[in-house]
Amino acid sequence: MKKRQRLKKICMVSVILIVIIWFVINLTRFEVKNNHLQAEAGTSIEYVLNENNLHDYISVSSLLQNRLTIDATGVNTNRAGEYTIKIMNNTTGEILKLPLEIIDTQDPVVEWYDYVPQVPVGVSFSADIFVKDAKDTAGIGKIYFYTEEDGRETSFTPEIPGEYTVSVVVQDINNRKVTKDVSFVA
């Protein structure tokens, strides 16, 4: 009889241990669900990876979710490219690497001045005098003149009097461009 009771206790303890081990493993396990995380340039990582959408990218129990640390060190959300986000399970020390692609699909938004400026002959000026405002979620990189003969120029100097038409380029930091032909009188 005692043997039977002892065997019963051993079986019961074994079942309880198996259930506890299964429960702990399932609560502390997490894995990458979606191996392709993509965000538009200028988007904050906190917006991309937050409590509301974390489950879109990794499989994790709701109990473990608050025990995760997201490390986005080295990710420049303004610059298009491939990055890696590290997600650490603070309970087990396990680290997942989640690839992140920053893309830039939007051209800069430019507001141009509607006047034809007069510029003294022999005086250099920059292309930004034609731009009233320029915005881009990633950031404006350069504003310059472009001609087929000279390529990219930061300034222009009219050598003789007359009316000139040149192309002004507004470029974001990911090389997306908006170009407009503008005129001025020297």
Side-chain angles (χ1 to χ4, degrees):
M1 189 70 156
K2 282 188 176 186
K3 250 183 171 180
R4 197 175 178 113
Q5 284 180 338
R6 193 179 315 169
L7 188 58
K8 235 182 182 180
K9 284 182 182 181
I10 289 173
C11 285
M12 204 158 152
V13 168
S14 296
V15 168
I16 290 171
L17 280 174
I18 290 171
V19 168
I20 288 173
I21 290 170
W22 178 86
F23 191 68
V24 168
I25 288 172
N26 282 315
L27 280 181
T28 59
R29 191 180 75 202
F30 72 125
E31 60 190 16
V32 173
K33 184 192 295 185
N34 183 346
N35 229 5
H36 188 71
L37 176 58
Q38 196 174 61
E40 180 69 30
T43 303
S44 132
I45 287 297
E46 289 76 26
Y47 175 75
V48 175
L49 283 176
N50 60 49
E51 309 80 46
N52 298 325
N53 63 5
L54 188 63
H55 290 279
D56 293 343
Y57 307 110
I58 64 172
S59 296
V60 61
S61 76
S62 57
L63 295 175
L64 179 61
Q65 181 172 317
N66 297 329
R67 302 283 302 144
L68 299 180
T69 302
I70 298 171
D71 180 8
T73 305
V75 175
N76 182 344
T77 57
N78 291 327
R79 182 74 64 182
E82 298 286 329
Y83 299 93
T84 300
I85 296 173
K86 294 176 187 169
I87 303 173
M88 186 167 117
N89 177 338
N90 295 325
T91 303
T92 65
E94 182 183 2
I95 295 176
L96 287 180
K97 293 183 178 180
L98 183 62
L100 168 65
E101 180 184 17
I102 300 293
I103 59 170
D104 191 350
T105 61
Q106 299 175 12
D107 291 333
V109 176
V110 182
E111 186 178 352
W112 304 91
Y113 282 113
D114 287 337
Y115 64 89
V116 177
Q118 277 215 251
V119 180
V121 173
V123 174
S124 293
F125 63 96
S126 62
D128 59 356
I129 71 164
F130 296 98
V131 178
K132 189 174 192 177
D133 190 30
K135 294 178 183 168
D136 189 85
T137 56
I140 298 298
K142 299 173 185 154
I143 300 174
Y144 57 90
F145 292 108
Y146 182 82
T147 62
E148 291 295 326
E149 308 83 46
D150 301 323
R152 184 186 304 185
E153 296 289 329
T154 56
S155 64
F156 189 86
T157 308
E159 299 296 327
I160 57 173
E163 186 169 330
Y164 292 81
T165 300
V166 292
S167 292
V168 172
V169 178
V170 176
Q171 178 178 316
D172 72 12
I173 66 170
N174 294 310
N175 299 324
R176 293 193 61 91
K177 302 171 186 166
V178 173
T179 304
K180 182 176 181 181
D181 288 339
V182 296
S183 299
F184 65 91
V185 176

